[in-house]
mmCIF file of all heavy atoms in Angstrom:
data_model
loop_
_atom_site.group_PDB
_atom_site.id
_atom_site.type_symbol
_atom_site.label_atom_id
_atom_site.label_comp_id
_atom_site.label_asym_id
_atom_site.label_seq_id
_atom_site.Cartn_x
_atom_site.Cartn_y
_atom_site.Cartn_z
ATOM 1 N N ALA A 760 67.479 7.401 54.689
ATOM 2 C CA ALA A 760 67.892 8.217 53.564
ATOM 3 C C ALA A 760 68.344 9.570 54.131
ATOM 4 O O ALA A 760 69.340 10.095 53.745
ATOM 5 C CB ALA A 760 66.747 8.348 52.587
ATOM 6 N N ASP A 786 55.043 20.811 39.807
ATOM 7 C CA ASP A 786 56.249 21.230 39.124
ATOM 8 C C ASP A 786 57.375 21.659 40.035
ATOM 9 O O ASP A 786 58.236 22.352 39.728
ATOM 10 C CB ASP A 786 55.929 22.325 38.161
ATOM 11 C CG ASP A 786 54.901 21.837 37.137
ATOM 12 O OD1 ASP A 786 55.170 20.783 36.593
ATOM 13 O OD2 ASP A 786 53.958 22.636 36.822
ATOM 14 N N ASN A 812 82.871 21.945 53.599
ATOM 15 C CA ASN A 812 83.006 23.133 52.874
ATOM 16 C C ASN A 812 83.764 22.854 51.557
ATOM 17 O O ASN A 812 83.244 23.262 50.484
ATOM 18 C CB ASN A 812 83.804 24.202 53.590
ATOM 19 C CG ASN A 812 82.897 24.768 54.699
ATOM 20 O OD1 ASN A 812 81.720 24.813 54.612
ATOM 21 N ND2 ASN A 812 83.581 25.390 55.689
ATOM 22 N N HIS A 832 62.313 24.845 48.352
ATOM 23 C CA HIS A 832 63.124 24.644 49.605
ATOM 24 C C HIS A 832 62.896 25.830 50.593
ATOM 25 O O HIS A 832 63.023 25.582 51.808
ATOM 26 C CB HIS A 832 64.550 24.582 49.273
ATOM 27 C CG HIS A 832 64.968 23.311 48.587
ATOM 28 N ND1 HIS A 832 66.218 22.878 48.361
ATOM 29 C CD2 HIS A 832 64.250 22.291 48.063
ATOM 30 C CE1 HIS A 832 66.294 21.706 47.749
ATOM 31 N NE2 HIS A 832 64.976 21.298 47.588
ATOM 32 N N MET A 835 60.009 24.716 52.534
ATOM 33 C CA MET A 835 60.484 23.616 53.569
ATOM 34 C C MET A 835 61.147 24.230 54.757
ATOM 35 O O MET A 835 60.892 23.797 55.936
ATOM 36 C CB MET A 835 61.445 22.713 52.833
ATOM 37 C CG MET A 835 60.786 21.778 51.755
ATOM 38 S SD MET A 835 62.145 20.715 50.946
ATOM 39 C CE MET A 835 61.018 19.770 49.916
ATOM 40 N N ILE A 852 66.027 21.277 73.607
ATOM 41 C CA ILE A 852 66.797 20.876 72.287
ATOM 42 C C ILE A 852 68.285 21.368 72.507
ATOM 43 O O ILE A 852 69.016 21.141 71.580
ATOM 44 C CB ILE A 852 66.212 21.661 71.167
ATOM 45 C CG1 ILE A 852 66.125 23.170 71.487
ATOM 46 C CG2 ILE A 852 64.797 21.083 70.870
ATOM 47 C CD1 ILE A 852 65.605 23.926 70.411
ATOM 48 N N ASN A 868 70.562 32.925 74.106
ATOM 49 C CA ASN A 868 70.649 33.343 72.636
ATOM 50 C C ASN A 868 70.015 32.292 71.711
ATOM 51 O O ASN A 868 69.344 32.662 70.732
ATOM 52 C CB ASN A 868 72.181 33.457 72.156
ATOM 53 C CG ASN A 868 72.817 34.801 72.739
ATOM 54 O OD1 ASN A 868 72.197 35.706 73.179
ATOM 55 N ND2 ASN A 868 74.134 34.778 72.712
ATOM 56 N N GLU A 871 66.257 32.747 72.003
ATOM 57 C CA GLU A 871 65.863 34.071 71.318
ATOM 58 C C GLU A 871 65.944 33.893 69.848
ATOM 59 O O GLU A 871 65.186 34.406 69.178
ATOM 60 C CB GLU A 871 66.783 35.107 71.842
ATOM 61 C CG GLU A 871 66.587 35.418 73.329
ATOM 62 C CD GLU A 871 67.363 36.676 73.876
ATOM 63 O OE1 GLU A 871 68.408 36.951 73.305
ATOM 64 O OE2 GLU A 871 66.884 37.257 74.806
ATOM 65 N N LYS A 880 66.672 38.169 81.018
ATOM 66 C CA LYS A 880 67.716 37.407 81.514
ATOM 67 C C LYS A 880 67.327 36.716 82.894
ATOM 68 O O LYS A 880 67.613 35.455 83.088
ATOM 69 C CB LYS A 880 68.966 38.278 81.742
ATOM 70 C CG LYS A 880 70.209 37.595 82.124
ATOM 71 C CD LYS A 880 71.438 38.573 81.871
ATOM 72 C CE LYS A 880 71.278 39.942 82.632
ATOM 73 N NZ LYS A 880 72.560 40.542 82.856
#
Side-chain angles (χ1 to χ4, degrees):
Chain A
D786 295 315
N812 288 338
H832 287 190
M835 290 177 174
I852 55 177
N868 284 343
E871 291 185 335
K880 187 165 54 155

